[in-house]
Amino acid sequence: MTEPHAYAVHRSWDRDYHIIERTEGVYLYDTAGKRYIDGTGGSSVVVSIGHGVKEVPAAMHRQAEEFSFYPAHAFSNQVFRDLSERIVKMAPGTMRGNAKVWITCTGTDATDDAIRLARQYWVEKDVMSKYVVITRWQAFHGNNIAIAGYSGITGRRSIFQPMFVDSPHIPPAFCYRCPFEMERATCRLKCARVLETTIRQVGAENVAAFIAEPVVGAALGVAPAPDGYFEVIRDICDRYDVLFIIDEVMTGFGRIGTTWGIEQWGVTPDIIATAKGITSGYTPLSAVLAHNDIWQPLIDNNSPFKAGHTLNANAVSCAGAMAVLDYLEENDLVERSAAMGAYLLEQMRAKLLPHPTVGDVRGRGLMAGFELVADKVTKEPFDPALHVSKRLEDIAFERGLITYPCTGSVDGYAGDMTLLAPPLIITCEQIDEMVDILDASIGELEAQLA
Ligand SMILES: Cc1ncc(COP(=O)(O)O)c(C=O)c1O
């Protein structure tokens, strides 16, 4: 490994990075001409329509030639309005045609603003006491100081812990390592029902909202909530006047085989935070989508939404998002995600699960993951000091596949996982290539560990 760059701060200090030169479809090429499969759709779960789709930069270029930036306190822009209308027409359940959209920049902005909206909703209704946001352990909702606190990734929280607001975290919905050590057949979804206990302990009069990802991404190496989970959550939120925010930053726009992840549980949230797939990474843009009922108290009080960033509703990014959504629709990529996702999972089960270190393979649509264990029967994790998932990432990288290593499935520290989320355009042949590389890489890792 060479020395890190003298001026640019990267994620790791212990190495320098290969420089990326160009991208196309599911492939990335570095300046040495080496080709990699983008097995994670960026870092991570971003690239939906594939790399190098010319229509997207062309749409952004056309918009930039008209204007890119303007005083947003004084004007609106048409493409922002068009994108908002389009998203509302795609919205899940009772939100469809009955919601409004706030466009901002990053996934963290979206979850932060979703939580702001929840608090402001109660304040505008004169319910001043409701401010607590209940979240889950091993969840990730973003990376500013507030949201890192609401998130449940222990390693990313640790040094900032004293700066967080005190907010309750319930255990994750994670069947492979059920936090209640129960079996799915008899658990009656205790992981969902515990929300009610927590609301009662905190006092429903204090609780503004509950936030969750439909499929936990980076924090649990892809863990879809069990069937029925969000139905129970919705019911509890309704009974205790708690807003239900779904974090669709990773899952929105087809990633798990439906436009929205939450559709697969058949319930409608009050507020959705979304990002990543909406622009497929071509440009930063995120959105908060909320039912009209949630915006109404602000409108009634003529009270502006108390959030906002300088680059919100950026016209060039909105034009990029419109072009991405066109491509997604014209190429039926949502349906493709479901079909290719089923194939990916089947191949992973066939070729990866037989490895002695692969304890679990899981996923929905083209969001999949697997867990690496020291003992398959007891599910004993590897010693975190071995950095097993990181080592697998390095081996797969050398073999031309980008994977995303995750840790902490057991207790926030131990528990090695690998996340996969290739672009939705991936073919069966490319999935075969991906899984074959993983198969060989896991074999190499196992030989090292032995
Ligand atoms: C579920 C989820 N929510 C929020 C975020 C934050 O998004 P961003 O990194 O764009 O701020 C992420 C990022 O990975 C995420 O996975």
Side-chain angles (χ1 to χ4, degrees):
M1 289 288 177
T2 48
E3 288 296 305
H5 193 262
Y7 304 111
V9 176
H10 293 86
R11 290 193 184 198
S12 301
W13 298 113
D14 61 354
R15 64 186 182 116
D16 199 4
Y17 287 78
H18 293 226
I19 306 264
I20 193 150
E21 189 170 69
R22 68 188 178 89
T23 60
E24 189 180 352
V26 301
Y27 297 113
L28 316 167
Y29 299 85
D30 68 17
T31 45
K34 183 170 170 184
R35 191 193 81 171
Y36 306 80
I37 300 179
D38 185 0
T40 55
S43 326
S44 51
V45 196
V46 178
V47 180
S48 52
I49 65 167
H51 297 277
V53 174
K54 300 274 182 288
E55 293 88 322
V56 183
M60 292 170 65
H61 182 86
R62 277 196 302 277
Q63 179 58 51
E65 281 191 328
E66 296 296 322
F67 64 90
S68 51
F69 190 67
Y70 62 95
H73 69 284
F75 295 95
S76 181
N77 78 70
Q78 190 57 44
V79 65
F80 158 47
R81 294 173 171 213
D82 294 345
L83 178 63
S84 302
E85 180 177 349
R86 186 163 189 175
I87 295 172
V88 170
K89 288 183 172 162
M90 299 169 83
T94 55
M95 270 196 195
R96 185 159 302 173
N98 200 19
K100 293 187 213 315
V101 179
W102 169 260
I103 301 283
T104 181
C105 306
T106 68
T108 304
D109 298 337
T111 51
D112 194 78
D113 288 352
I115 288 170
R116 280 165 187 264
L117 179 59
R119 166 65 179 161
Q120 193 175 346
Y121 167 83
W122 292 115
V123 168
E124 302 297 345
K125 286 173 65 109
D126 218 16
V127 186
M128 305 302 281
S129 61
K130 277 185 174 286
Y131 75 97
V132 173
V133 179
I134 301 177
T135 63
R136 303 188 297 181
W137 286 112
Q138 284 123 323
F140 185 64
H141 301 295
N143 230 359
N144 66 23
I145 299 283
I147 297 295
Y150 289 128
S151 292
I153 296 198
T154 308
R156 294 196 195 185
R157 289 167 49 93
S158 54
I159 69 159
F160 303 105
Q161 177 81 33
M163 303 159 83
F164 297 152
V165 292
D166 189 18
S167 64
H169 292 64
I170 64 172
F174 185 34
C175 297
Y176 178 62
R177 294 185 185 278
C178 173
F180 303 97
E181 298 189 352
M182 297 178 106
E183 293 300 325
R184 180 65 198 91
T186 50
C187 72
R188 293 177 43 248
L189 292 166
K190 179 146 176 112
C191 54
R193 288 184 291 115
V194 73
L195 175 62
E196 179 164 10
T197 315
T198 307
I199 292 173
R200 290 170 69 91
Q201 285 164 340
V202 175
E205 69 281 11
N206 298 312
V207 182
F210 170 71
I211 183 168
E213 301 154 81
V215 178
V216 179
L220 276 179
V222 179
D227 290 345
Y229 178 83
F230 285 112
E231 290 88 321
V232 176
I233 294 288
R234 177 74 271 182
D235 173 61
I236 295 168
C237 288
D238 287 344
R239 285 192 284 113
Y240 289 92
D241 266 348
V242 169
L243 297 185
F244 172 30
I245 305 172
I246 197 82
D247 179 346
E248 298 253 12
V249 167
M250 278 189 176
T251 48
F253 302 95
R255 174 50 63 182
I256 69 165
T258 41
T259 301
W260 306 95
I262 193 65
E263 285 177 73
Q264 299 190 17
W265 285 263
V267 299
T268 308
D270 300 298
I271 305 174
I272 300 176
T274 192
K276 300 198 180 202
I278 189 173
T279 58
S280 197
Y282 284 82
T283 178
L285 183 141
S286 63
V288 177
L289 172 64
H291 198 284
N292 277 337
D293 291 350
I294 305 300
W295 296 107
Q296 199 56 47
L298 284 69
I299 297 167
D300 291 344
N301 295 343
N302 191 20
S303 181
F305 180 30
K306 292 183 176 42
H309 297 280
T310 305
L311 292 176
N312 270 13
N314 180 270
V316 175
S317 289
C318 289
M322 288 293 267
V324 167
L325 297 183
D326 285 344
Y327 196 89
L328 201 74
E329 276 173 25
E330 284 159 14
N331 293 281
D332 296 325
L333 293 186
V334 179
E335 294 74 15
R336 188 181 177 84
S337 167
M340 289 297 120
Y343 183 73
L344 173 62
L345 212 54
E346 185 189 298
Q347 293 306 306
M348 287 170 69
R349 287 199 176 115
K351 293 184 184 157
L352 307 188
L353 209 45
H355 279 273
T357 58
V358 177
D360 191 32
V361 163
R362 47 195 186 239
R364 287 242 180 156
L366 276 172
M367 195 167 164
F370 58 91
E371 187 147 345
L372 295 159
V373 289
D375 185 318
K376 236 169 140 144
V377 178
T378 61
K379 303 182 185 177
E380 178 74 20
F382 283 105
D383 179 348
L386 292 173
H387 302 293
V388 165
S389 54
K390 176 71 188 129
R391 279 162 72 176
L392 180 64
E393 181 209 352
D394 292 344
I395 296 169
F397 183 90
E398 287 305 317
R399 291 172 179 265
L401 172 67
I402 308 300
T403 61
Y404 194 78
C406 318
T407 53
S409 59
V410 178
D411 53 7
Y413 294 102
D416 287 277
M417 301 155 288
T418 294
L419 179 152
L420 301 169
L424 310 185
I425 53 161
I426 195 162
T427 63
C428 289
E429 294 69 35
Q430 289 164 335
I431 287 176
D432 290 344
E433 194 183 343
M434 229 178 105
V435 177
D436 287 346
I437 294 175
L438 279 168
D439 184 12
S441 303
I442 294 168
E444 187 176 332
L445 176 74
E446 284 169 345
Q448 280 182 16
L449 292 169

